[in-house]
Structures are given as C-alpha cells and as structure tokens.
Amino acid sequence: MKLLNYIQGKFEEPFSSEWMDNFSPSTGETIGSIPLSGHEDVSSAVAAAKSALPEWSSLEPSDRADWLDKIADCLEGKFEEIACLESLDTGKPISLARSVDAKRSVANFRFFSEMIRERQDEVFETDDSTNIVKLRAVGVGALITPWNLPLYLLSWKVAPAIGMGNTVVCKPSELTPLTADLLMRVIDEVGLPPGVVNLVHGNGYAGSSLTGNPDIDLVSFTGGTSTGAKVAQSASPQFKKLSLELGGKNASIVFSDCDLEETVKGVTRAAFLNQGQVCLCGSRILIESSIYDQFMEMFVESVESMSIGDPMDENTDLGALISKPHLNKVEGYVSLAIEEGGQIVTGGKPCLPKELEGGNWMSPTIVAGLDVDSRCSTEEVFGPFVTVHRFDSEEEAIEIANNTRYGLAGSIWTGDLERGRRVAERIHTGMIWVNTWLHRDLRVPFGGVKDSGVGREGGKWSLGFFSEPLNVCLKHD
Ligand code: NDP
C-alpha cells in the first residue's frame, strides 16, 4: 500500500520522491509506505488551504454542517474498513477498533455538525446598545495527530475546524497513516471543495515545517509532552492560536467502600485499554490499605485473565505495542522499576504463535513496592505498565495523586458519591471520573493542566478554539 499526500483535492507523490516504510505492530511486517514530505509539499498544502479559505469561511454554517454530515455518512459506509485498517496499523484488537475508533470517528462528524447547525450568535443588550458576538474562522489550521487513536483524534479536530470555517492541513503520525488516508478518500468521494482539507505524511520534518509556516494561523497538537513543548516554541512567537493535548500519569484511587468487583473491572480497563496507550489511562493505582491485599488478589487475577494476541481475533483483549522503539521504552521502565526497588507482580513476554513473533509484544505488567516519588511512579510510560501504592487517608490519596507534573485525568472508586466529589475537586487535573472511566460525553471539555497541555477541546470549547469572536456593538438612537 503506497499512500500519497492529499493537496488541493488531488493525491500527490512527494516532491522529493522519498518514502518510508509503515510496519505492522503485531507482526513487524511491512504494510506499505508513506511519502517523506519536505518543505515544498508542506508549502503547497498550506497554499491550497489558504486559497480555499475565503470561499469556505463565507459559507453559511448550516452548509458546512451539511458537508460534515456527508462525510459522516460516507465514513459510516466504510465502518468495517476503518476498524480493519486501524487494527492493522495500530496493533489494537479489532473489537476495540470497532467500538471506539470506527464508531466515534463517525460520531465526531455527526456531533459537530449538529452543534454547528444549532449554534446561535450571543447577543447582549444594554439600555442604549446591542452587542452581537459572532464566531468567525481563525484561518488555516495545522492538525497534528498521534498513533494511539488515529482516526478518532483526527476526526475530533477536522470536524470542528472545518465546521467553523477554517481550512486545514493534517499531519498524521507516520506510524499510523492508514485511516488518515481513508478520510482523505472519503473527503474526495463526497466532493468537498479542493483545499479545504489537505494532508501531508512524513517523519522528522513535516510537523515542524507546518507549525513554523507563517500562513498557519492555528495549531492543534495531540502527542507527547516534549514534542508539545517544541510545537509551542515554534508557534508562540508568531502568535498562532495553540491547543496542546499532551501526556498523563493518571491516578485510579480505590477507597475501601467501593464495589470491589466493579472497581476491579473498571481499574483493569483504565490501566490496560489499548495496551495502556491512551493518555487518559490510569497508570498509578492507589489502594486504601485496609483492602489492599483483597483488591490486589482480584486485580492480578483480572489482569492475568486478559487474552493477548492476534488483533484480528474477536476474543483478543490486548494487542501489540505501536513500535519497536516504543516497546523498548516501556521495557526500559520495567528494568528501571527493579532498579528503583519495585517488585514485578505480573508481566513478562507473552507466549504467542510463530507468525506474531516479529511484533511488539509485552504482557500487562503490575509493579508494587515503589516509592511514590520514583521515576516509574511519576513519569508517563504510555504502555501496559502500572504501579500500585497504598494509602491510609483521603488526604494521603490526594497528595499522591497530585505528586506528578502531569494533570490530565483520573478516576475515584467509592461507595460514597459525596466523598467522590470532594476528592475529585482537590485533584489537579482536567478531567476526573467517579466509579467509571472514559465515560465520554462529547459536550464536556477535554484537556489537562500542568504538563498535560494547554487549552481545552470538546463541545463548545472546540468551537471556541477553532474560531475567533468578533463583537459588534450597535448603538441605539
Ligand atoms: P509525538 O506523538 O510526541 O509526536 C510526533 C508527531 O509530532 C509527528 O507527527 C511529528 O511530525 C510531529 N512533530 C515532531 N516535532 C514537531 C515540531 N517541532 N512541531 C510540530 N510537529 C512536530 O511523538 P511519538 O510518537 O514519538 O510519541 C512520544 C511519546 O508521546 C510517547 O511515548 C507517549 O508517551 C506520548 N504520546 C502521547 C499521546 C497522547 O495522546 N497524549 C499520543 C501519542 C504519544 P514530524 O516528525 O514530521 O515533524
């Protein structure tokens, strides 16, 4: 599969004629190749977006919402293809690719279409004037998306961005280009005006060239914290509008009055969904001392019962990690955990059939006995690796939960909702769930504090980020 850039409504080879291989995480085999885009590819994609902007941004919002619906309809028709490509490209189980990636990608376009159709300008009256607040397009957007939820996160940005009248250049992760290409095929098929959505593939140059381009007006980036810092460095001096969704080191806090069975299920899912490669995953599990042993026995049993293997098997719970370097990084944290004095409660290499031996495999790993200040307990690992810690009071649980430079998400498990709320309000984070995890409502703000990022997307926050307000004040007679 040789993928191409999508610029001005055309699939294009890179100017350099340079390509890079794309590998299957589960077998290590080559799936295909993508263009290694350079300056000319990025510049022509940005120029295409810029030339499409005046006409696109002057359409009625309801007309743009119609386009989002057309894209959603076409994507829905390719539901199974999305799931298969996403599973192949990321190594995630097909059941997850269906229930999350394929389903939510369609849902994102539908959700933002409805919001944009229903949105009204705000009006403020005074004794002698009327203020009308209009939301206008910002301009040309750079949308940079990661490899863990490729189409889900791309659709989460493209839909509100073009819905609010911007035109965009997308840069998907070089590790997972397949469903971004599928979205371009959909956009081509429905006949979206050329230049409204463009895409450049690449590695090592395209992303930074895009964010540094003077004709880019806004940057929405989801990915690692250190890359986020570089994005901010190049975008901020040019005063580009910036949204950064970065890493997390989220706590799952288990109180002794929780429903143990439901909590074990929830904490297992929060820890290991998508092989722990979700920025919202609960990778530090804090357990009230009085139930520590009982919880651990049930938790270890639950984790060890997960089936790991062929992502295309309907019964698989855990697939492969995204790449060899990423597997090495996560395995490095296992070695570090031992150096830091931790005990590996469960983990290791899974036993797999011969055809999967070239893939990036690791069993879900639980580490106990680490200090709460240790590197393994405070740094983002982004894999099937969790640390467990005891606490004796609400105060101590809150202190441990806040003991990291990240502040993205978290979950609290308790039979006392009042306590759940009280504790939630003291965790320095952007999102927190009580007795559930990743229970998404697309209307709520998504994003983090501290090193987890800048700004919020989701619902009206996305519409706000992808627009500029204009206040028109009309003086009455
Ligand atoms: P990142 O996800 O951090 O970023 C890679 C992407 O950023 C590529 O598309 C790259 O394009 C682009 N990029 C790199 N430098 C710049 C720049 N200066 N300006 C603009 N774009 C740039 O990298 P990794 O895939 O290596 O992931 C690293 C870590 O990030 C993971 O180990 C994990 O901890 C975390 N992560 C977090 C995610 C989240 O959802 N918060 C998702 C995925 C990873 P190009 O090379 O062409 O410039």
Side-chain angles (χ1 to χ4, degrees):
M1 235 180 295
K2 198 172 183 185
L3 304 187
L4 301 171
N5 291 332
Y6 187 66
I7 299 173
Q8 187 71 29
K10 292 202 179 77
F11 288 93
E12 303 275 10
E13 299 220 348
F15 281 87
S16 67
S17 303
E18 286 185 54
W19 302 82
M20 73 177 278
D21 285 339
N22 176 26
F23 300 100
S24 152
S26 61
T27 63
E29 284 164 9
T30 306
I31 302 172
S33 58
I34 61 163
L36 268 181
S37 303
H39 179 73
E40 284 153 303
D41 307 289
V42 170
S43 299
S44 73
V46 174
K50 196 175 173 188
S51 71
L53 184 65
E55 204 169 322
W56 180 252
S57 58
S58 61
L59 287 182
E60 286 300 321
S62 61
D63 292 336
R64 292 195 298 263
D66 288 346
W67 281 109
L68 298 188
D69 282 336
K70 280 185 205 166
I71 295 171
D73 290 344
C74 189
L75 272 181
E76 201 159 33
K78 298 184 192 302
F79 187 93
E80 195 54 22
E81 191 187 352
I82 297 172
C84 289
L85 289 179
E86 212 68 296
S87 176
L88 172 68
D89 218 9
T90 62
K92 71 176 67 186
I94 184 76
S95 55
L96 183 65
R98 285 196 189 105
S99 63
V100 172
D101 301 79
K103 191 170 159 204
R104 293 196 181 184
S105 303
V106 176
N108 284 341
F109 279 99
R110 294 221 190 284
F111 170 75
F112 283 112
S113 142
E114 199 179 318
M115 270 206 94
I116 284 159
R117 209 181 291 282
E118 285 174 3
R119 205 195 65 76
Q120 306 268 329
D121 291 341
E122 281 185 295
V123 178
F124 301 95
E125 300 287 356
T126 69
D127 289 347
D128 63 352
S129 69
T130 300
N131 281 286
I132 302 160
V133 181
K134 287 199 79 65
L135 294 187
R136 298 193 295 188
V138 183
V140 178
L143 310 181
I144 304 176
T145 46
W147 42 259
N148 54 343
L149 296 157
L151 187 59
Y152 175 25
L153 290 173
L154 186 58
S155 55
W156 178 245
K157 296 182 193 298
V158 169
I162 64 171
M164 292 307 284
N166 306 282
T167 56
V168 298
V169 180
C170 310
K171 163 63 181 75
S173 168
E174 70 282 1
L175 301 173
T176 53
L178 295 183
T179 51
D181 177 70
L182 178 142
L183 180 61
M184 296 309 113
R185 284 190 274 124
V186 162
I187 278 168
D188 204 58
E189 200 175 316
V190 301
L192 192 75
V196 173
V197 176
N198 307 273
L199 178 140
V200 286
H201 294 284
N203 182 29
Y205 182 79
S208 52
S209 167
L210 192 54
T211 52
N213 187 301
D215 286 330
I216 289 289
D217 302 296
L218 73 87
V219 178
S220 172
F221 172 84
T222 302
T225 296
S226 56
T227 314
K230 289 184 203 145
V231 171
Q233 236 166 21
S234 75
S236 300
Q238 295 177 48
F239 308 110
K240 296 175 197 292
K241 224 175 163 187
L242 188 61
S243 166
L244 300 172
E245 306 277 353
L246 308 176
K249 185 72 175 178
N250 314 296
S252 300
I253 306 176
V254 180
F255 284 102
S256 59
D257 62 355
C258 70
D259 174 332
L260 257 181
E261 246 170 60
E262 286 304 309
T263 301
V264 167
K265 264 195 244 160
V267 169
T268 306
R269 176 170 168 266
F272 296 112
L273 189 86
N274 205 34
Q275 297 74 250
Q277 300 169 130
V278 180
C279 51
L280 307 168
C281 274
S283 53
R284 288 181 303 151
I285 301 164
L286 318 185
I287 308 148
E288 193 160 8
S289 292
S290 57
I291 58 157
Y292 183 89
D293 291 339
Q294 194 187 359
F295 178 85
M296 281 301 285
E297 193 182 320
M298 292 170 71
F299 181 48
V300 172
E301 194 188 324
S302 158
V303 170
E304 289 182 345
S305 73
M306 283 191 288
S307 65
I308 177 164
D310 184 0
M312 290 308 286
D313 183 331
E314 304 282 342
N315 298 315
T316 293
D317 297 313
L318 293 175
L321 271 67
I322 191 67
S323 66
K324 283 272 173 297
H326 190 60
L327 173 66
N328 293 341
K329 172 187 155 182
V330 181
E331 285 177 334
Y333 274 97
V334 179
S335 310
L336 179 64
I338 296 165
E339 276 171 42
E340 289 189 309
Q343 298 102 45
I344 312 298
V345 180
T346 186
K349 278 263 169 223
C351 185
L352 292 163
K354 202 161 177 40
E355 59 272 21
L356 299 179
E357 276 173 5
N360 317 313
W361 296 98
M362 177 175 167
S363 295
T365 301
I366 305 174
V367 182
L370 282 172
D371 195 281
V372 294
D373 291 324
S374 62
R375 283 185 54 202
C376 288
S377 314
T378 53
E379 295 178 8
E380 185 185 51
V381 178
F382 217 69
F385 174 98
V386 299
T387 62
V388 291
H389 308 271
R390 293 167 190 266
F391 68 85
D392 289 307
S393 65
E394 244 178 67
E395 210 50 41
E396 192 186 7
I398 292 164
E399 202 177 304
I400 302 173
N402 287 334
N403 185 38
T404 168
R405 62 193 185 99
Y406 294 104
L408 189 60
S411 64
I412 297 167
W413 303 83
T414 173
D416 177 355
L417 278 187
E418 195 40 52
R419 164 155 61 187
R421 236 176 118 154
R422 183 169 69 232
V423 173
E425 286 174 11
R426 293 187 55 203
I427 309 292
H428 302 152
T429 186
M431 298 164 272
I432 194 141
W433 289 278
V434 179
N435 294 335
T436 183
W437 176 78
L438 198 49
H439 198 97
R440 290 283 288 128
D441 177 338
L442 300 184
R443 293 169 299 182
V444 304
F446 185 101
V449 299
K450 303 196 280 187
D451 284 11
S452 290
V454 175
R456 295 289 185 279
E457 292 183 23
K460 66 179 181 186
W461 287 268
S462 286
L463 303 194
F465 172 69
F466 288 110
S467 65
E468 289 289 8
L470 166 73
N471 183 50
V472 180
C473 177
L474 305 172
K475 173 86 168 63
H476 305 151
D477 288 335

